[in-house]
């Protein structure tokens, strides 16, 4: 059986990809190769947006394809192929990016993005950093996990956070806000933080 001929499209042709997928599942190697050739690059870009290097992004895409072909009964809805692939690549990429960044970050506060806007930045003094560290460690484990994960990325993937931390997607934003409020209060109640602010005001 011949693969469905490739053609140029400006939008995703879900029906065409569904037919290619069905043909590939039936053993059509050309259909399988066509899918991979046409979807590899956009899937790679999805992985790259999670912050992965080119090689890691390619590995994630390959993992997604392997998982697709090894799915015992195939997809229930072949038209959902591209969505399934993008979702799988996105989740795996964010998980890997998070793992790599957490391995590089010894302390959850040693990150480029500020945990609290206007409080921690690259110019903060050692005493102030220690106050932030104490405030962070004083929070519940749930808050520490969420704040560390969210702060690691400029655009965190809430689907991944939901899966990784076992939280409902809709609760992530409100919980993050409450955790930040608690962290601010703990920090501002720390005398060493207050004295640090006074020293800066005095120009010391």
């Amino acid at each position: 059986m011949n693969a469905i001929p490739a053609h140029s499209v400006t939008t995703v042709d879900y029906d065409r990809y569904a037919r290619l997928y069905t043909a590939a599942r039936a053993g059509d190697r050309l259909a399988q190769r066509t899918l991979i050739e046409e979807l590899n690059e956009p899937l790679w870009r999805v992985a790259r947006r999670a912050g992965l290097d080119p090689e890691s992004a390619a590995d994630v895409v390959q993992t997604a394809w392997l998982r697709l072909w090894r799915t015992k009964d195939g997809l229930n809805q072949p038209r959902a192929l591209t969505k399934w692939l993008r979702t799988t690549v996105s989740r795996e990429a964010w998980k890997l990016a998070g793992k790599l960044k957490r391995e590089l970050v010894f302390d959850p506060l040693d990150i480029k993005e500020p945990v609290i806007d206007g409080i921690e930045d690259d110019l903060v003094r050692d005493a102030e950093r220690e106050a932030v560290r104490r405030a962070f460690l004083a929070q519940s484990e749930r808050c520490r996990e969420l704040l560390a994960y969210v702060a690691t990325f400029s655009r965190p993937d809430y689907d991944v956070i939901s899966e990784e931390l076992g939280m409902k997607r809709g609760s992530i934003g409100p919980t993050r806000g409450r955790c930040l409020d608690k962290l601010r209060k703990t920090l501002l109640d720390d005398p060493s933080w207050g004295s640090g602010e006074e020293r800066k005001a005095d120009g010391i």
Side-chain angles (χ1 to χ4, degrees):
M1 181 173 64
N2 294 327
I4 289 81
H7 59 85
S8 175
V9 292
T10 57
T11 59
V12 178
D13 190 337
Y14 298 105
D15 289 328
R16 175 172 173 271
Y17 283 132
R19 293 195 299 273
L20 282 169
Y21 172 67
T22 301
R25 288 283 301 180
D28 188 336
R29 293 295 182 86
L30 180 56
Q32 184 183 67
R33 187 165 63 250
T34 300
L35 279 175
I36 294 174
E37 289 176 351
E38 293 189 15
L39 296 179
N40 252 5
E41 184 175 348
L43 292 174
W44 181 82
R45 289 198 296 268
V46 169
R48 286 282 283 161
R49 281 199 291 272
L52 295 181
D53 60 71
E55 184 176 352
S56 296
D59 288 342
V60 166
V61 172
Q62 183 178 18
T63 297
W65 282 116
L66 289 174
R67 187 173 299 176
L68 174 70
W69 303 128
R70 290 174 181 174
T71 302
K72 184 178 179 181
D73 298 321
L75 301 180
N76 292 329
Q77 298 179 343
R79 288 188 87 256
L81 171 68
T82 53
K83 180 180 179 180
W84 186 94
L85 285 169
R86 289 177 63 88
T87 300
T88 300
V89 167
S90 179
R91 288 181 175 177
E92 290 303 313
W94 280 102
K95 285 181 182 179
L96 179 57
K99 179 182 178 182
L100 294 175
K101 290 194 175 185
R102 288 195 293 272
E103 288 176 351
L104 293 175
V105 178
F106 174 77
D107 190 302
L109 297 181
D110 291 334
I111 50 182
K112 292 182 179 179
E113 291 80 14
V115 173
I116 308 177
D117 294 340
I119 291 182
E120 187 195 38
D121 55 37
D122 293 336
L123 300 178
V124 75
R125 298 181 182 183
D126 290 342
E128 293 166 342
R129 286 183 62 84
E130 187 58 33
V132 176
R133 191 185 314 279
R134 285 195 301 270
F136 180 85
L137 295 177
Q139 305 309 306
S140 67
E141 181 179 359
R142 188 69 157 176
C143 279
R144 292 199 306 271
E145 289 179 343
L146 178 58
L147 292 178
Y149 205 109
V150 171
T152 301
F153 303 101
S154 58
R155 296 178 62 186
D157 188 320
Y158 276 22
D159 288 331
V160 174
I161 294 176
S162 174
E163 184 175 327
E164 288 283 290
L165 302 185
M167 298 178 64
K168 292 183 178 179
R169 194 183 191 284
S171 71
I172 294 174
T175 302
R176 172 180 177 271
R178 289 193 295 269
C179 288
L180 283 173
D181 286 341
K182 292 177 182 177
L183 183 54
R184 286 190 182 94
K185 185 178 185 305
T186 304
L187 178 62
L188 296 176
D189 284 344
D190 189 323
S192 65
W193 174 260
S195 61
E197 290 297 290
E198 292 172 2
R199 285 195 300 273
K200 284 201 294 185
D202 293 337
I204 299 176

